[in-house]
Amino acid sequence: MQKLTIRCPDDMHLHLRDGANLKRSVADSAYRFARAIVMPNLVPPISNTAQALGYRERILSALPADLDFEPLMTLYLTETLSPDEIVVAQQSGFIHGIKLYPAGATTNAEFGVSRMERVYPVLERMEKLAMPLLVHGEVVDPEVDAFDREAVFIERELAPLMARFPGLRIVFEHITTREAVDFVRGGPAHLVATVTAHHLLLNRNALFAGGMRPHHYCLPLLKRESHRQALLEAATSGDPKFFLGTDSAPHTRHAKESACGCAGIYTAHAAIELYAEAFASANALSRLEVFASQYGADFYGLPYNSESMALEEIAVEVPSSLFFGEEALVPFRAGEQLAWRLSS
Ligand code: NCD
Ligand code: ZN
């Protein structure tokens, strides 16, 4: 049996939701991660500092008494966000990034940006203040094939944006393609990327294994095997530009198993275990710690966590469904096995 002890990790891209649904996701994440960059795509969106501070308090109130967890807050970049709000956000000490959703690109992205020019003044201020821009990197053009939306975004939006704001710190979130890996590698040191566990473990065949698999539907979509391999190679290479961000995104069973199902995969119940499995598959367990616990902190200018965590290679079954407020949530690997577990 393999065992592994690492410094406590951070999840640099996480959806916690709100209200009655907070308890489940906060507890699962806090059990594994010391800190997380919390996504602002609520309805209405978290689009100013006061809202983010209120949301932070609700997250902390949902935290089980025996766990420590620091939510690292973000703001949703709407077309009406003012550049001065970036100053307020930074001075608060609690806001670590501003999230760009191309309008309509994903869950609750309708409040996002439809024309990049409209947010140039905000981006200019962010560049000046070194406030990171967290990018959902997909075009929404319906003419573009759904599997090409990330690659096309790089050419149409991201590269021109970086040419206009060369000093802007950017996280290319939940990358899914070889094109994104190459672009991040070839870019400046302040262009980095998060990689999810599910994109390291699955290719797009998982969407259609024996029938339609709504619980494998997320955005950006799973891609073909050659892309999964490029992601796995990048994540396990020890390159500080690639670090952990689960994009764990819970939706109720009803919202997923529907004629028009929501995008999002819930991995928070087993996130670090799933990354361990992916890294073990590439014979790279020795590089899990830098990916999970150091490179993200380095980018965000945070101290490393002082606690450590132990994992062991023992199979455990995942329940077929979890409690999620008043509803049910189908987790990743529901009814199947995980190869790793946390050791007590
Ligand atoms: C996320 C969600 O449900 O909030 N869904 C997803 O498929 N990843 C939004 C996002 O990060 O795209
Ligand atoms: Zn996300």
Side-chain angles (χ1 to χ4, degrees):
M1 178 189 54
Q2 298 202 79
K3 281 194 166 210
L4 180 69
T5 299
I6 58 170
R7 186 188 292 281
C8 259
D10 299 312
D11 182 351
M12 295 312 195
H13 181 128
L14 177 64
H15 299 271
L16 289 172
R17 311 308 189 204
D18 205 354
N21 293 336
L22 266 178
K23 263 205 153 65
R24 157 104 266 149
S25 42
V26 171
D28 281 344
S29 292
Y31 199 65
R32 294 168 174 78
F33 296 97
R35 300 174 292 207
I37 292 278
V38 178
M39 290 297 123
N41 62 331
L42 305 182
V43 182
I46 300 297
S47 54
N48 63 49
T49 306
Q51 287 168 343
L53 297 184
Y55 184 31
R56 181 173 178 276
E57 288 307 317
R58 298 197 293 285
I59 294 167
L60 291 174
S61 306
L63 186 63
D66 57 329
L67 294 178
D68 274 331
F69 181 65
E70 195 184 342
L72 307 168
M73 308 311 291
T74 61
L75 298 187
Y76 194 122
L77 180 50
T78 64
E79 291 182 354
T80 54
L81 184 71
S82 95
D84 290 343
E85 186 62 27
I86 304 301
V87 181
V88 176
Q90 189 165 60
Q91 284 176 353
S92 79
F94 290 106
I95 313 294
H96 297 267
I98 311 292
K99 179 69 192 255
L100 167 67
Y101 292 103
T106 186
T107 307
N108 301 337
E110 60 271 29
F111 313 99
V113 175
S114 45
R115 293 178 62 98
M116 218 62 101
E117 304 85 85
R118 295 186 182 145
V119 296
Y120 281 172
V122 173
L123 298 178
E124 195 181 320
R125 192 69 66 90
M126 288 170 59
E127 183 181 33
K128 218 169 260 161
L129 296 175
M131 173 65 86
L133 180 72
L134 318 185
V135 179
H136 183 108
E138 290 193 288
V139 293
V140 294
D141 182 348
E143 304 278 299
V144 175
D145 187 278
F147 291 95
D148 295 335
R149 288 183 181 168
E150 182 174 283
V152 172
F153 181 87
I154 295 170
E155 281 174 35
R156 278 196 201 164
E157 306 285 356
L158 189 52
L161 194 78
M162 288 175 58
R164 179 171 276 265
F165 302 102
L168 187 59
R169 297 173 65 70
I170 296 179
V171 186
F172 194 168
E173 298 284 0
H174 44 51
I175 57 167
T176 62
T177 57
R178 172 177 294 282
E179 287 87 341
V181 168
D182 292 344
F183 185 75
V184 169
R185 277 219 173 105
H190 59 267
L191 171 68
V192 298
T194 54
V195 187
T196 79
H198 47 280
H199 289 101
L200 291 176
L201 290 167
L202 299 180
N203 64 40
R204 66 190 188 179
N205 287 354
L207 281 163
F208 311 109
M212 278 265 292
R213 299 293 191 149
H215 299 294
H216 288 158
Y217 173 55
C218 63
L219 288 171
L221 291 166
L222 297 171
K223 301 296 191 301
R224 63 167 68 239
E225 176 62 10
S226 56
H227 294 293
R228 188 191 72 83
Q229 282 175 15
L231 295 176
L232 189 60
E233 190 278 316
T236 60
S237 67
D239 182 338
K241 283 169 157 274
F242 302 95
F243 53 82
L244 188 156
T246 62
D247 195 22
S248 175
H251 292 275
T252 64
R253 176 191 279 274
H254 279 111
K256 294 286 295 174
E257 297 176 8
S258 147
C260 188
C262 291
I265 296 180
Y266 189 70
T267 52
H269 63 296
I272 194 69
E273 299 92 314
L274 292 165
Y275 282 104
E277 186 176 325
F279 274 63
S281 78
N283 262 320
L285 276 174
S286 63
R287 287 203 276 268
L288 181 62
E289 184 176 51
V290 287
F291 173 82
S293 320
Q294 293 185 22
Y295 295 157
D298 289 341
F299 177 82
Y300 282 103
L302 301 166
Y304 295 152
N305 299 311
S306 48
E307 310 275 291
S308 62
M309 151 185 281
L311 290 143
E312 55 197 11
E313 196 178 16
I314 291 183
V316 275
E317 188 166 316
V318 177
S320 56
S321 115
L322 302 173
F323 291 107
F324 188 48
E326 304 285 286
E327 306 229 33
L329 165 66
V330 178
F332 188 74
R333 289 270 172 87
E336 293 171 29
Q337 301 222 311
L338 300 169
W340 289 75
R341 71 172 191 193
L342 304 185
S343 51
S344 38

